[in-house]
Amino acid sequence: MEVIALIAIVFIAIGLQRHIFNRYGAYKLEYLCTFSASEAYEGQELCLVETLYNRKLLPVPWLKVDIHSSKWLDFAGTRSVITQEDRRVTSSFLLKSHQKITRHWKVICLKRGVFTTKNVTLIWGDLLGMGSSSEAVEVNAVLVVYPGIIDLNSVFIPVNCLQGDAVIKRWIMDDPFIVSGTREYTEADSMNRIHWQSSARQGRLMVRKNDFTCRMGITAILNMQSGEFEHDTVLDKGKIELGIKTAATLLDSALKMGMTARLAVNGCIEGDEGTVFTKEAGGREHIFQLLKLLAGLRLENKKDFESFLAESSDVIMNNQIFIITCYINEEICRISDIMRRNGNRVLFLVLDEWIQEDIVPRGVDAYILGGER
Amino acid sequence: MQNRVRSTLLRLAELTGLYSLVYPGFMLLRHAVFGAGGVVAELIFSLCVFFAGVFAGRYIIRDKCAFAQRLLKNPLIDFIWEGNAGIRAATTIAAYSTSVVPVCVVSALYWNAGAARTIFACVFTLLFYCTCIKLSNYEPGSILSRASFYPGLILTAFYIFICTYFKSYALYGTLLFIFALIFMMMSFIVQNQSELDYVFIKKTSHSAPVPDKIRSYNLAAVLLFFAAVILLINLKGIVVSIIKALQQVIGWVASAVSDFLSMIMPYGTQHQDPAQQMQYPAFPESEAQNPIWGLITDIVQYFVLLYIIYKISPHMFSALKKAAASFSEWVKRLLKVNSQNEPQSRQDCYYDEIEPIAEDERSTLRRADKRLTINIKRDLKKIKDPVRKVRYIYYAILCTIFKKNRALSKSDTTEEIYDKIKDCKEMVHYVREATEVYDRVRYGMQIPQKNETDLLEDGLYRLFEIKKL
């Protein structure tokens, strides 16, 4: 009888602890997963923050959290497993009674994109490994990684400076406030002629030079075709990514200079099959919207670039147009000439190391890859 | 703790558990064949053989051995062992060869005990030693797994059964019980640590180890669980009583069924023995010569005993309560060591901030509510004076309203208090009645009727049911 009682007690104790831990392990257990910032740039470091609350007396002796993220968000080092486009990280916790744990993972954004961690899986169990339970928790943590900013003057060189001993650096983007429009303040100038932005840039008081300064907006037109006869999917992804960074740099410069900006791309973003052609506007919010579009661009083209450019040429007036493309042909040059005659200043940023020089129309500047990338 | 040290300790714990399972069987078999004698000496010797076998298995058998490599430079030995592939084989043979030592020792020890005894001891020592060598290289968790725990438990129960029911084996009772506890404890520890390895390392492909904090906490929790099991084992008397009661119930049911069957099938049935009657404890017989004097003495003894218990029990209860509270604190401290903010724990790719969180305010208020309700019900039953009862009921109403987040101040009159809860339809009528009765009793110096106090009391209990005002 005593032997039976002994066995019964041991079995009951084991079964009871199994029931308690498996059934009540997740009771009053909360899990949150967020990024420390909702937006970041390529190469920037931020944190992925996991927060766990255990609001009950019963501790959780072990808890495993499986996080599925994108492989382009680098964190967890040797604790992560990369499969194709995914990164799987296992986070292990021990939660005592009435305890909160906040875990900060260092994340490096390797590539631009819109990354969403939809849900994670929590797994917990009892002390003796008699059974475990799991639950999927929705987190919906979204991170927008903007394309990185490059130094345009180091990456691109002007086509008409290919011959010679030294590459002369020219400003790709003219600063309207320095080249034309302002001069230094004198005692004779009235206070309402002071141009504060220029004064801040120069570090001394500047006034408007004349009342007819022409202030152009920027239009960045990005060609998603890496080859002239390419269809749908991009073949040379590296070049197109560089093109996206170039467009991002131009928009960033526009923001810094207080200029209006527009983006036109013959590609599309997730959830929208149409090409991208935004309105022209200025301000931080608008520029970051455009950067977000660039972040979410899929590497495929939706329309033939020549047709897309021809449609855009009718709409864009009095702008500084930057055509970012991997190739130039006669049709593109013809349309760019039309744009120039419409009062726009046109500039080619060619994502290649060579172009046929005589194809570029007069009055249109062209830059090719020649410096550091 | 370094991985290798931890792995070695875990393996040792596992083998200790296995030893606790196997050795009692050998002990009982030896007793059956050769009778009692030399238990302690054999136990010590078996422990030495056990550790020697584990040591030989862990430290002699290896894949790389400088000594073996030097030997392999000899062309003849190299020809036999075929380069590096032979090092493990050579070291394995060397390890098993060392079994000669314990066999020689045991044969020397039992030389004078007779050939049968000596052969028995030598055979078992050899088997035991070689098994220890073999198992010392197994992965932790592969021997005392979940699958082997239950059969092991039944085996230990079988050993205890033999000790309990065969008097000649009774002297091993305590020792076998200790072995059973050691087996359980080691099984729990090994299963817990193996489960952590399985969940965090084997089920994922990455190479990061399980944090030491999780391992140590789980180990402490397992030991606490084991202590709880020992505590429950000490209450096995209750379980035995329950089993006996169940036996009786089953017996009664069986006999009832048998009687019923014998009624419907009068031939071919045999009457079952009647169910065992419950045996009541017999009263102790009085040893007094004069029965009346004996009775008086017994009555006085009982009353004195009752009086002592009556006087001591409040102190005992408060002492027990304090002991229970301090034990609970100790357990809480054990389970949440450093309950104040723990320092940040840093790893190479993340850092943790650990802090305690306050108990859920709602659950604290719910508990306070419940205590208040229990206290009020208990106090109301004690009060017999109707005036005091009405005044206490009104006090209880005020407490309930206040606890349920309605602002009251000391300067409020009864009408003002009533105005504050007018919007609550569930209780407005009851509070109106209670206020009227209270005003009459408190300020009008009237004595309330019994039905009035009963109605107020019932209404108060219904008020407790309202979750939100």
Side-chain angles (χ1 to χ4, degrees), chain B residues 196-392:
Chain B
L196 291 177
D197 284 336
Y198 175 70
V199 168
F200 288 107
I201 296 174
K202 285 175 189 162
K203 259 191 161 179
T204 57
S205 332
H206 61 68
S207 59
V210 181
D212 279 346
K213 214 169 75 163
I214 293 182
R215 287 198 187 277
S216 55
Y217 185 86
N218 271 264
L219 187 63
V222 163
L223 292 174
L224 202 67
F225 170 70
F226 178 68
V229 170
I230 292 177
L231 196 71
L232 287 174
I233 285 171
N234 285 322
L235 302 174
K236 67 178 178 297
I238 298 170
V239 178
V240 169
S241 310
I242 293 170
I243 293 172
K244 281 182 177 165
L246 278 172
Q247 260 187 337
Q248 285 200 344
V249 166
I250 291 166
W252 289 332
V253 167
S255 67
V257 166
S258 165
D259 289 341
F260 177 70
L261 285 173
S262 64
M263 274 166 47
I264 57 173
M265 288 184 290
Y267 57 88
T269 56
Q270 290 175 359
H271 287 283
Q272 302 283 340
D273 291 332
Q276 289 178 2
Q277 296 288 328
M278 286 284 288
Q279 292 191 359
Y280 296 97
F283 286 105
E285 289 178 10
S286 175
E287 292 179 3
Q289 291 173 354
N290 186 341
I292 296 171
W293 179 246
L295 183 66
I296 292 168
T297 318
D298 285 342
I299 290 170
V300 167
Q301 277 176 3
Y302 283 133
F303 273 110
V304 167
L305 193 64
L306 279 171
Y307 181 74
I308 291 168
I309 291 170
Y310 169 71
K311 280 293 176 187
I312 291 175
S313 53
H315 300 288
M316 272 172 62
F317 277 129
S318 64
L320 272 172
K321 210 172 160 184
K322 275 181 196 165
S326 54
F327 178 72
S328 150
E329 271 305 312
W330 177 76
V331 168
K332 276 185 188 174
R333 252 184 287 123
L334 188 70
L335 293 179
K336 55 172 181 174
V337 170
N338 299 330
S339 60
Q340 283 141 26
N341 286 5
E342 290 181 22
Q344 281 186 4
S345 94
R346 279 190 177 270
Q347 300 288 329
D348 50 347
C349 41
Y350 67 82
Y351 68 91
D352 285 346
E353 290 169 2
I354 301 166
E355 50 188 307
I357 48 176
E359 265 190 61
D360 194 3
E361 208 183 271
R362 285 171 295 173
S363 61
T364 315
L365 280 175
R366 258 202 303 274
R367 277 205 292 278
D369 256 344
K370 210 174 167 183
R371 271 200 297 272
L372 175 71
T373 309
I374 292 166
N375 290 344
I376 287 173
K377 284 180 181 173
R378 188 190 59 211
D379 292 342
L380 265 179
K381 281 181 185 153
K382 289 181 189 171
I383 300 172
K384 301 298 172 197
D385 177 18
V387 171
R388 274 191 64 203
K389 202 160 197 168
V390 166
R391 288 179 69 171
Y392 190 81

Side-chain angles (χ1 to χ4, degrees), chain A residues 78 100 102-104 127 129, chain B residues 146 192 206 351-353 355:
Chain A
T78 52
K100 172 187 167 190
T102 310
R103 177 164 292 177
H104 301 258
L127 289 173
Chain B
R146 255 178 279 168
N192 173 257
H206 61 68
Y351 68 91
D352 285 346
E353 290 169 2
E355 50 188 307

Side-chain angles (χ1 to χ4, degrees), chain B residues 62-319:
Chain B
R62 47 186 61 210
D63 293 317
K64 287 176 189 174
C65 175
F67 178 69
Q69 273 172 342
R70 278 200 296 273
L71 277 180
L72 280 172
K73 283 177 186 171
N74 186 308
L76 179 62
I77 294 174
D78 184 39
F79 174 76
I80 295 168
W81 296 114
E82 291 178 4
N84 283 340
I87 290 181
R88 190 161 181 96
T91 50
T92 305
I93 290 172
Y96 281 102
S97 307
T98 58
S99 59
V100 167
V101 174
V103 169
C104 291
V105 169
V106 85
S107 56
L109 283 173
Y110 289 100
W111 190 253
N112 296 327
R117 184 74 190 263
T118 309
I119 292 168
F120 179 86
C122 288
V123 166
F124 271 93
T125 303
L126 181 67
L127 282 173
F128 188 52
Y129 187 79
C130 294
T131 307
C132 287
I133 291 174
K134 173 81 177 166
L135 295 178
S136 63
N137 284 302
Y138 275 33
E139 279 297 314
S142 52
I143 307 168
L144 286 187
S145 60
R146 255 178 279 168
S148 56
F149 174 70
Y150 296 112
L153 193 66
I154 291 168
L155 190 61
T156 53
F158 174 68
Y159 296 150
I160 295 169
F161 169 78
I162 289 175
C163 290
T164 314
Y165 284 89
F166 296 97
K167 284 186 185 164
S168 60
Y169 293 94
L171 69 140
Y172 298 117
T174 309
L175 194 59
L176 288 177
F177 190 70
I178 292 169
F179 275 129
L181 291 178
I182 293 172
F183 167 71
M184 273 198 285
M185 186 171 81
M186 295 304 163
S187 296
F188 291 163
I189 291 170
V190 168
Q191 279 177 40
N192 173 257
Q193 297 295 311
S194 308
E195 178 69 6
L196 291 177
D197 284 336
Y198 175 70
V199 168
F200 288 107
I201 296 174
K202 285 175 189 162
K203 259 191 161 179
T204 57
S205 332
H206 61 68
S207 59
V210 181
D212 279 346
K213 214 169 75 163
I214 293 182
R215 287 198 187 277
S216 55
Y217 185 86
N218 271 264
L219 187 63
V222 163
L223 292 174
L224 202 67
F225 170 70
F226 178 68
V229 170
I230 292 177
L231 196 71
L232 287 174
I233 285 171
N234 285 322
L235 302 174
K236 67 178 178 297
I238 298 170
V239 178
V240 169
S241 310
I242 293 170
I243 293 172
K244 281 182 177 165
L246 278 172
Q247 260 187 337
Q248 285 200 344
V249 166
I250 291 166
W252 289 332
V253 167
S255 67
V257 166
S258 165
D259 289 341
F260 177 70
L261 285 173
S262 64
M263 274 166 47
I264 57 173
M265 288 184 290
Y267 57 88
T269 56
Q270 290 175 359
H271 287 283
Q272 302 283 340
D273 291 332
Q276 289 178 2
Q277 296 288 328
M278 286 284 288
Q279 292 191 359
Y280 296 97
F283 286 105
E285 289 178 10
S286 175
E287 292 179 3
Q289 291 173 354
N290 186 341
I292 296 171
W293 179 246
L295 183 66
I296 292 168
T297 318
D298 285 342
I299 290 170
V300 167
Q301 277 176 3
Y302 283 133
F303 273 110
V304 167
L305 193 64
L306 279 171
Y307 181 74
I308 291 168
I309 291 170
Y310 169 71
K311 280 293 176 187
I312 291 175
S313 53
H315 300 288
M316 272 172 62
F317 277 129
S318 64

